[in-house]
Amino acid sequence: MRKTIIFLTLNLIFIGISFGQKVDCGDGITYSNEKQTKYDKRLSEYPKIESSPTYSDGKDELNKLIESNLKVNEQGKDIIFRLNYMFTITCDGQIKDFKTLGDSELSNLTNIKDIIAETNGKWLPAKKDGKPVDCIYFAKKTIVGNKY
């Protein structure tokens, strides 16, 4: 009986340790793609790498997804504006820290944040020295309000 209790206790400890571990990836630094952000001083704080995160279905499919699901509220219907946005793709392909850059009022005119959130888990992380790392994904979209 005592051996059974010890065996079960050790198994529970092992299972707890195994499931409690975080995915071992990244190096604790968030990078940005060198070409994508080279001339944008707003992103100068991020170390640059050549790699960038990619949407698993491809950039064209991401653009189609955004275009077909984008909604503009009534305030944005009468204007044309450029929406600059960014988010981090973590080393395990998850989205975090979505934000729009520039005029904060513009971020409230569309549902772009919700559309991007729906793509969570469908991203391939950037790599540095062959290992997945956290990296900024930066994009721009010109929106003609009355089109949506």
Side-chain angles (χ1 to χ4, degrees), residues 3 26 28 33-34 40 46 48 52-53 55 59 68-70 83 109-110 113 123 130 132-133 141 146:
K3 287 181 182 179
N33 176 267
E34 186 172 17
D40 196 325
Y46 299 100
K48 309 295 187 239
S52 65
Y55 183 60
K59 190 172 185 171
S68 64
N69 291 292
L70 190 70
L83 192 61
L109 298 180
T110 74
K113 183 176 181 178
W123 289 85
V133 293
K141 176 141 183 74
N146 63 9

Side-chain angles (χ1 to χ4, degrees), residues 43-109:
L43 303 173
S44 63
E45 68 188 83
Y46 299 100
K48 309 295 187 239
I49 57 173
E50 289 185 22
S51 178
S52 65
T54 55
Y55 183 60
S56 62
D57 294 336
K59 190 172 185 171
D60 290 342
E61 287 301 313
L62 178 62
N63 289 335
K64 285 180 192 176
L65 178 73
I66 292 169
E67 192 65 28
S68 64
N69 291 292
L70 190 70
K71 293 184 175 101
V72 175
N73 70 20
E74 287 304 314
Q75 290 175 304
K77 293 280 186 189
D78 295 329
I79 58 175
I80 298 172
F81 57 99
R82 184 144 186 113
L83 192 61
N84 297 301
Y85 59 95
M86 65 182 254
F87 48 91
T88 300
I89 298 298
T90 63
C91 59
D92 57 355
Q94 300 299 304
I95 296 170
K96 71 175 193 176
D97 301 332
F98 179 95
K99 65 180 172 181
T100 54
L101 303 171
D103 187 346
S104 60
E105 294 296 319
L106 297 179
S107 64
N108 299 322
L109 298 180

Side-chain angles (χ1 to χ4, degrees), residues 20-37:
Q21 291 180 340
K22 187 179 184 285
V23 175
D24 185 26
C25 65
D27 57 9
I29 299 170
T30 300
Y31 296 90
S32 68
N33 176 267
E34 186 172 17
K35 289 180 184 175
Q36 190 180 38
T37 61

Side-chain angles (χ1 to χ4, degrees), residues 116-130:
I116 296 301
E118 290 175 21
T119 68
N120 196 34
K122 296 181 180 179
W123 289 85
L124 304 172
K127 292 189 176 183
K128 181 175 187 257
D129 300 327

Side-chain angles (χ1 to χ4, degrees), residues 1-16:
M1 177 75 166
R2 185 174 182 187
K3 287 181 182 179
T4 304
I5 291 173
I6 292 172
F7 177 75
L8 290 173
T9 303
L10 290 174
N11 276 332
L12 288 173
I13 290 170
F14 176 74
I15 290 170

